[in-house]
Amino acid sequence: MSQTLPTGLPANLSFDEGFFSHFTDIMDDMMTTKENPLADSPYVIGMMGGTSLDGLDAVLCQFYEIDEDNDEPVEILATVSEPFPDDLRAVLLALTQPNGVAQLIADDNLAFESELDVFGWASVFYAEFAANLVNQLLEKAQVTPDEVTAIGCHGQTVRHRPQWSFSLQLLDPNVLAERTAIAVVSDFRRRDMAVGGQGAPLVPAFHQAMFAAPPYHADKVMPKVILNLGGIANITVLDGSDEVIGFDTGVANLLIDGWCQRHTQQTYDHNGDWGKSGQVLEPLLNLLLTHPFFAKPFPKSTGREEFNLAWLDAMLEQLGQQFPTLAYSPADVQATLVELTAKSVSDAIVSVTDGAQGELFVCGGGALNAYLISRLQDNLATWTIQTTDKIGLSPLWVEAVAFAWLAQQTILNVPSNLPSVTGASKKVVLGQVCF
C-alpha cells in the first residue's frame, strides 16, 4: 500500500536531517505499485499557459514506474482548461512584446504608471485565475488538497532572453499556494540558465521519461520525434541513445493564431480551413526563412521577442518593396505561415536524423490543425505522423502533464534538465518551491 505524501514536515524531522530522503522513500514506495487512482497515493497537478496565450490548462495526474506489469507511466484523473479573461490576456500580450505596455498604460483605466505596475498586477491576477482552476480540478476529481504533492505551474513567459541568461515567467506562487493549500513549484527555467543553459525547451526530459522507455521505443532503430506545436514549435529526438536531442525549431501557432485573429476575429483557424483556402506565397516564405534563428545551431530556444506580428508586418512591407505587383489575400499569408512552420520543423528534423524515415508524434494545439499536419506530411513524405494519443497521452495535455512531472522531480530533489538540450554545463534540480 502506498502512502500519502504529507503536506507538512513531520515534527521530528528537520529539513537538513533528511527532508528529501523522507520524500524519496515515500515516492519510491508509491511508484512501485499501480493502484486505484482514488487510493491514497499522492497526486500531482500540472499547469501550462503557452506562448499562444489562448488560456491555461490544468491536469491532475499520478505517475507510475514502468515495468513488466505496468506499461502506463502516467494516469490522468481530471483536466480543466479555461481561456484567459480578456483583460488578463491583453496585459499578458502587452508584456510579451518589448515596450508593449506603453499604449496599454495610456489607455487603461487601472491607473498603471509603469511596466512594473502591469507586471505586478498581472502576477497576482494570473495566480488567482490559476487557483480557481486548481479548485475546479479538485472538485471535479473529488480529491482534497492534502492528497496532492504539489502544483507545477510554469507561469506565463513574458521575456525570454537566453543571450543574457535570463527568462521571466509571470506568476505569484505565494498567492497560488495560499488559495489552494498546496505546495507550488514554479520558476523552472532560471536554475538551468545559472549553469549556462538556455532554460528551454524543458519538455524533452519529460518526453524521454514518458516515451523513450519500452514498449514505446523497444528495439527500434528508426527515430521517434516528439513535436510540440504550441506558440513555438519544439522537437525531441528519441533514437535509443542516452543523449537526447531537442530544441525549438521556430514559430508555430503564435503567428498562425495572431494573423487569424487580426483578419477573422477568431482566436484560431479551426482545422486550418482558412489557411487551406489560400495559396502559399513563395517569395514571402523565402523572406520569412531568412530569419537568423533558423540558421542557428542547437541548443537554441526562442519566443515572442523574435517572432511576432510586428516582425511579420515588416516582412510584408519588404515583400511589397521587392515585388510591387504581387497581389495576395490575408488567406494567402495564412497559408504561407502554415508552410513556414511545416518547412522549418521538417528541415530541423531532417538535419538531426538521417531523414529517410521515422515516426513523428505531434502534441500541442497545432496537432488539431489538419492543414498544418498535411503540410508536415508532404514535407516528411517517408515519415509516419500521428498524435501522441498513439503513445498514451492526449496531445492537448502533454505540456501540462510535463510540468506535473517536473514538479515531482523538484520535490524529490532529482535533476530534470538535459544539458544536451539546453546547453547547460551540468544537470541541476529545477524550480523554486513555495510550501
Side-chain angles (χ1 to χ4, degrees):
M1 182 68 138
S2 59
Q3 304 176 55
T4 300
L5 193 63
T7 55
L9 197 63
N12 63 349
L13 182 69
S14 68
F15 186 88
D16 58 357
E17 286 175 346
F19 174 76
F20 287 115
S21 64
H22 172 73
F23 274 109
T24 302
D25 289 344
I26 290 174
M27 293 300 288
D28 282 347
D29 180 52
M30 183 275 287
M31 295 285 279
T32 58
T33 57
K34 172 86 172 177
E35 297 188 348
N36 186 303
L38 297 181
D40 60 354
S41 298
Y43 308 126
V44 193
I45 291 173
M47 308 191 79
M48 183 62 183
T51 318
S52 296
L53 292 174
D54 48 359
L56 189 60
D57 299 330
V59 58
L60 177 70
C61 56
Q62 188 168 16
F63 297 100
Y64 301 101
E65 192 74 30
I66 300 176
D67 55 33
E68 60 184 14
D69 298 320
N70 174 43
D71 61 2
E72 297 180 4
V74 62
E75 183 168 18
I76 295 177
L77 285 82
T79 62
V80 176
S81 184
E82 293 284 347
F84 288 123
D86 290 343
D87 47 359
L88 177 59
R89 187 178 189 278
V91 167
L92 293 176
L93 185 59
L95 284 167
T96 59
Q97 309 293 329
N99 304 313
V101 301
Q103 190 60 46
L104 185 73
I105 291 173
D107 295 343
D108 200 82
N109 58 7
L110 291 177
F112 293 132
E113 294 182 5
S114 72
E115 190 168 47
L116 286 177
D117 291 342
V118 178
F119 180 88
W121 176 86
S123 297
V124 175
F125 193 157
Y126 191 102
E128 297 280 9
F129 179 67
N132 286 335
L133 257 65
V134 168
N135 291 326
Q136 288 180 44
L137 194 67
L138 296 178
E139 183 177 357
K140 186 176 181 179
Q142 293 297 290
V143 168
T144 59
D146 60 2
E147 294 177 274
V148 180
T149 305
I151 300 167
C153 188
H154 176 266
Q156 191 67 45
T157 299
V158 293
R159 196 71 82 248
H160 183 66
R161 295 295 197 188
Q163 69 271 32
W164 297 327
S165 299
F166 85 86
S167 187
L168 192 58
Q169 281 70 51
L170 179 149
L171 169 72
D172 189 335
N174 304 281
V175 171
L176 181 54
E178 184 64 28
R179 300 293 183 268
T180 61
I182 301 171
V184 175
V185 185
S186 61
D187 193 13
F188 288 94
R189 300 193 184 277
R190 291 193 293 176
R191 185 68 177 92
D192 178 83
M193 301 183 103
V195 291
Q198 299 218 359
L202 295 179
V203 290
F206 169 74
H207 293 160
Q208 182 187 36
M210 291 297 107
F211 304 134
Y216 301 135
H217 197 67
D219 304 322
K220 287 192 175 181
V221 176
M222 67 178 181
K224 287 189 175 182
V225 176
I226 312 299
L227 167 63
N228 176 50
L229 289 172
I232 298 296
N234 59 67
I235 60 171
T236 304
V237 181
L238 303 173
D239 59 3
S241 66
D242 293 333
E243 189 105 325
V244 173
I245 294 174
F247 53 92
D248 288 350
T249 63
V251 68
N253 298 332
L254 192 161
L255 288 179
I256 292 171
D257 291 351
W259 185 257
C260 179
Q261 185 160 25
R262 177 188 284 185
H263 290 278
T264 72
Q265 288 70 58
Q266 302 298 313
T267 55
Y268 68 98
D269 184 4
H270 180 69
N271 212 36
D273 290 341
W274 186 50
K276 188 177 181 180
S277 72
Q279 299 292 320
V280 174
L281 301 167
E282 291 294 337
L284 176 60
L285 178 63
N286 293 334
L287 268 178
L288 298 176
L289 286 169
T290 63
H291 194 296
F293 178 81
F294 296 119
K296 283 183 181 179
F298 64 88
K300 61 179 180 177
S301 57
T302 189
R304 282 184 178 269
E305 298 81 8
E306 296 190 84
F307 293 102
N308 49 59
L309 287 177
W311 169 72
L312 176 59
D313 289 339
M315 293 297 97
L316 289 170
E317 183 177 351
Q318 188 173 337
L319 179 72
Q321 293 170 354
Q322 293 182 7
F323 301 92
T325 62
L326 180 64
Y328 59 88
S329 70
D332 295 335
V333 175
Q334 184 77 349
T336 307
L337 293 176
V338 171
E339 194 66 22
L340 173 67
T341 297
K343 182 162 178 54
S344 56
V345 166
S346 59
D347 285 352
I349 290 173
V350 170
S351 74
V352 292
T353 66
D354 62 17
Q357 65 179 105
E359 298 173 295
L360 181 63
F361 296 95
V362 187
C363 59
L368 303 183
N369 186 323
Y371 177 53
L372 174 54
I373 300 303
S374 72
R375 296 309 307 140
L376 280 167
Q377 188 66 80
D378 281 352
N379 279 274
L380 294 167
T382 59
W383 285 60
T384 61
I385 301 179
Q386 302 171 86
T387 73
T388 52
D389 267 325
K390 185 68 176 178
I391 47 177
L393 200 53
S394 166
L396 296 182
W397 300 108
V398 171
E399 281 208 300
V401 174
F403 281 92
W405 181 83
L406 287 166
Q408 179 174 278
Q409 299 299 95
T410 303
I411 293 295
L412 292 174
N413 197 33
V414 176
S416 54
N417 67 327
L418 291 177
S420 63
V421 170
T422 67
S425 61
K426 61 180 181 179
K427 292 185 176 182
V428 290
V429 178
L430 303 178
Q432 301 292 319
V433 187
C434 185
F435 289 101

